[in-house]
Amino acid sequence: MKKLFTLNIALLLIISMFVGSCNSDDSDEIYEQFTYTNVSVLSFKLRKNDSVLRNIDTVFFSVDLDNRRIFNADSLPKGTKLKRFVVNATLPTVSEAKFYFNDTLNKPDSIDYLKKPNDSINFANGPVTLFLRSYDNTVTATYKVEILVHKTEPDSLMWDRFGSRNLPTLLQAPTSAGCVEHNDGFYCLTANNTLGCMAVAHNPGDENWAMTQVTLPEGTIASTLTSCGNSLYLLANSTIYRSDDAISWVSTGVKANHIYGSYGTKLLANVKAADGTWRQIVYPDIVDAETAPMLPEECPVSGTSPTLTFTSDWAAEPTTTFVGGRDAKGKLTGSSWAFDGTTWTAISLTPSMPREGMVLVPYFAFRSEQFWIIKKYSVLLAFCGTNDNAKAENTVYVSYDLGVHWAKAATPLQLPGFIAPYTGITPVVGHEELFSRSGSVWKEYAPLRLPSMTSRSDDRLITSWECPYIYLFGGKTSVGSLNMIVWRGVINRLTFQPLQ
């Protein structure tokens, strides 16, 4: 029995070695066959060339093997010169690899990449193609190689001269206007003393607003329209009025000189007491002008921007912020002030330009990182208003830290010359779904469509997407008349078709 057992083991070893040898031969044969016929580009990049663009060697190129395309999904800056680039292409073992292009004289040219990989290629005169022939000469492939460059400045805050519409109103000659986001929609109030019109839309970009003529309190200032909790508030003849249905208005009986904005369900305002001091109103909790806490000495009491409320890592409670305005002594400021539920505090270490009637908008900006990664940042934009010489300004300032530091924004973020430097504009941000509409009251921006790689897990292409637009309502011109145009702006890059 022992000898039979030993013999069986020996036979099994011989058989397993034979089978293993056969499997190894088949695997090697398949591998070699794949290697000899492979024409797949493994990777593609440009070599360092700081004379053209810094960090251009870190630009990522996608290789679409199905459609034989090689391209950079994130386009290079507008104006980038494409005359001469040396490339690094990772290829399988092939018998032929040639780039075909047009030279500076627009004549056909080519380089043999296997023999002269350090020769430069001209991408400026039309398409470049890469021809590959497999190692066994049985398979060929031709790739279209593109270096995409933006035709427009991608990070421009784009305000189209025709990207506007008239204020939604039934009034013939309104003298003030204000717009707020409230509950599930946007409310635009226009007023001429007691004559008013409340226009309501789901989105500020909607073509049709539901408009109702309303009777307003004597001396209504529509630009003070504020959403707070489930109610709307405004200022008329130094009194705060409230509406729960956006149509009828009732007096709260609370005197106020200026409405800042809202803090949760509390309305923030101020009032000048009989002794000449300025007091802090927090309706409905603190409303007595004689007993309310005094505002800090340098806190602006008029001309502040609309407020925004944020949560941040450095504050235990949400904070409501405004920028600019004029203090009790008549001095203008460019600082941001924040309310934490108890007191107002100046928070700017580096203020913006001192102005009153500024616009404060939460929006986005983009920066190119070291390795050619475009990073999106949440920012605050402050612009328009009047300076200490009563001159209207439209210079845009930007803050990346909720108003602590302000700096003059780069040229692409500045307002165009055809938008007058209004004061007292009320801004809103609405998210639009980008799609084509004919006969619209808005001019549609044509979205840039980039080449898209088909996803293996989801073959559906992105054909529509939401895009945040800034809308500017109302405001006064340099001669004191109401601005009847609603301007709409957007960062150009946000209109680009998302990559897939």
Side-chain angles (χ1 to χ4, degrees):
M1 293 290 293
K2 186 174 182 181
K3 289 183 180 180
L4 179 61
F5 180 74
T6 304
L7 180 61
N8 287 340
I9 293 178
L11 288 173
L12 286 173
L13 287 174
I14 293 171
I15 292 171
S16 65
M17 289 174 63
F18 177 76
V19 172
S21 176
C22 290
N23 287 340
S24 177
D25 290 345
D26 289 344
S27 175
D28 289 345
E29 183 179 344
I30 293 173
Y31 175 77
E32 288 175 1
Q33 182 180 0
F34 175 76
T35 301
Y36 294 156
T37 61
N38 189 8
V39 288
S40 300
V41 177
L42 304 180
S43 70
F44 183 93
K45 65 185 297 186
L46 303 177
R47 291 196 194 175
K48 183 179 179 66
N49 190 343
D50 288 347
S51 64
V52 174
L53 193 67
R54 287 176 58 84
N55 299 317
I56 200 168
D57 54 321
T58 65
V59 175
F60 177 76
F61 279 80
S62 298
V63 180
D64 184 347
L65 297 177
D66 292 331
N67 297 305
R68 303 299 195 198
R69 301 182 70 185
I70 300 172
F71 61 92
N72 54 312
D74 201 344
S75 300
L76 301 182
K78 179 184 177 182
T80 301
K81 304 300 181 183
L82 301 181
K83 279 192 173 183
R84 293 290 176 184
F85 287 107
V86 178
V87 304
N88 281 339
T90 305
L91 306 173
T93 303
V94 293
S95 62
E96 184 178 355
K98 289 184 178 179
F99 284 93
Y100 293 91
F101 55 94
N102 291 323
D103 67 9
T104 54
L105 299 177
N106 235 3
K107 295 180 180 179
D109 199 355
S110 66
I111 66 167
D112 187 328
Y113 188 71
L114 297 182
K115 295 179 179 179
K116 297 181 178 179
N118 296 319
D119 280 7
S120 59
I121 301 169
N122 190 344
F123 286 86
N125 299 320
V128 173
T129 58
L130 169 61
F131 176 80
L132 298 180
R133 188 184 301 276
S134 63
Y135 186 74
D136 64 0
N137 296 317
T138 62
V139 180
T140 63
T142 300
Y143 291 82
K144 181 181 179 181
V145 186
E146 298 173 278
I147 300 180
L148 300 179
V149 177
H150 285 297
K151 295 181 179 179
T152 58
E153 178 57 58
D155 299 324
S156 290
L157 182 53
M158 184 176 173
W159 303 85
D160 197 295
R161 185 183 294 273
F162 303 103
S164 59
R165 60 163 295 163
N166 292 330
L167 279 171
T169 183
L170 297 172
L171 302 184
Q172 294 296 317
T175 57
S176 63
C179 185
V180 295
E181 185 175 1
H182 179 64
N183 291 337
D184 295 324
F186 292 81
Y187 291 68
C188 179
L189 177 66
T190 48
N192 185 341
N193 200 7
T194 59
L195 294 176
C197 176
M198 182 64 79
V200 183
H202 178 69
N203 193 287
D206 288 351
E207 298 186 27
N208 298 311
W209 292 58
M211 292 182 278
T212 305
Q213 194 159 332
V214 298
T215 300
L216 298 171
E218 184 78 26
T220 288
I221 306 172
S223 59
T224 62
L225 183 69
T226 303
S227 172
C228 183
N230 292 319
S231 300
L232 292 171
Y233 295 85
L234 57 76
L235 203 59
N237 283 338
S238 299
T239 302
I240 297 174
Y241 283 77
R242 186 187 77 246
S243 176
D244 296 327
D245 60 6
I247 296 176
S248 58
W249 296 85
V250 296
S251 172
T252 64
V254 177
K255 293 295 181 180
N257 290 83
H258 180 68
I259 292 179
Y260 292 111
S262 62
Y263 183 81
T265 59
K266 312 297 181 183
L267 185 71
L268 306 178
N270 66 37
V271 64
K272 190 174 183 179
D275 61 2
T277 58
W278 287 86
R279 305 299 179 107
Q280 171 183 304
I281 298 295
V282 182
Y283 177 85
D285 298 341
I286 304 172
V287 297
D288 189 339
E290 306 310 315
T291 61
M294 288 194 296
L295 286 169
E297 183 177 356
E298 296 180 349
C299 182
V301 297
S302 65
T304 61
S305 74
T307 57
L308 299 170
T309 301
F310 300 101
T311 56
S312 60
D313 293 338
W314 58 80
E317 300 294 334
T319 56
T320 289
T321 302
F322 67 77
V323 65
R326 195 177 293 274
D327 66 18
K329 295 180 180 179
K331 182 181 178 182
L332 280 181
T333 181
S335 293
S336 301
W337 284 71
F339 183 79
D340 62 358
T342 305
T343 58
W344 286 102
T345 306
I347 62 172
S348 292
L349 299 178
T350 307
S352 71
M353 177 187 297
R355 284 173 286 181
E356 59 182 334
M358 275 194 280
V359 175
L360 182 63
V361 181
Y363 207 54
F364 305 99
F366 294 84
R367 287 176 172 174
S368 175
E369 303 295 326
Q370 180 180 359
F371 295 104
W372 202 256
I373 299 174
I374 306 299
K375 189 172 181 180
K376 180 180 178 182
Y377 290 87
S378 295
V379 300
L380 296 182
L381 301 178
F383 51 94
C384 288
T386 54
N387 61 24
D388 215 12
N389 297 321
K391 180 182 177 182
E393 291 276 357
N394 60 5
T395 307
V396 179
Y397 276 70
V398 62
S399 174
Y400 287 82
D401 53 12
L402 301 181
V404 177
H405 295 89
W406 289 96
K408 184 178 178 180
T411 300
L413 290 179
Q414 296 298 325
L415 293 182
F418 57 79
I419 295 185
Y422 303 106
T423 185
I425 291 176
T426 56
V428 294
V429 176
H431 287 73
E432 300 280 331
E433 184 178 4
L434 290 190
F435 60 96
S436 294
R437 292 182 291 186
S438 59
S440 172
V441 296
W442 296 102
K443 178 182 175 69
E444 291 298 326
Y445 296 101
L448 175 65
R449 300 193 177 277
L450 299 175
S452 297
M453 293 185 65
T454 302
S455 171
R456 292 187 179 180
S457 60
D458 186 357
D459 290 339
R460 294 171 299 174
L461 296 178
I462 298 174
T463 57
S464 64
W465 61 97
E466 284 196 343
C467 179
Y469 284 79
I470 301 173
Y471 295 84
L472 304 180
F473 287 80
K476 295 295 182 70
T477 64
S478 57
V479 296
S481 59
L482 178 66
N483 166 44
M484 294 295 294
I485 298 175
V486 181
W487 292 103
R488 181 170 75 164
V490 64
I491 293 287
N492 209 11
R493 185 184 295 274
L494 296 173
T495 68
F496 297 170
Q497 182 181 10
L499 297 177
Q500 179 156 323

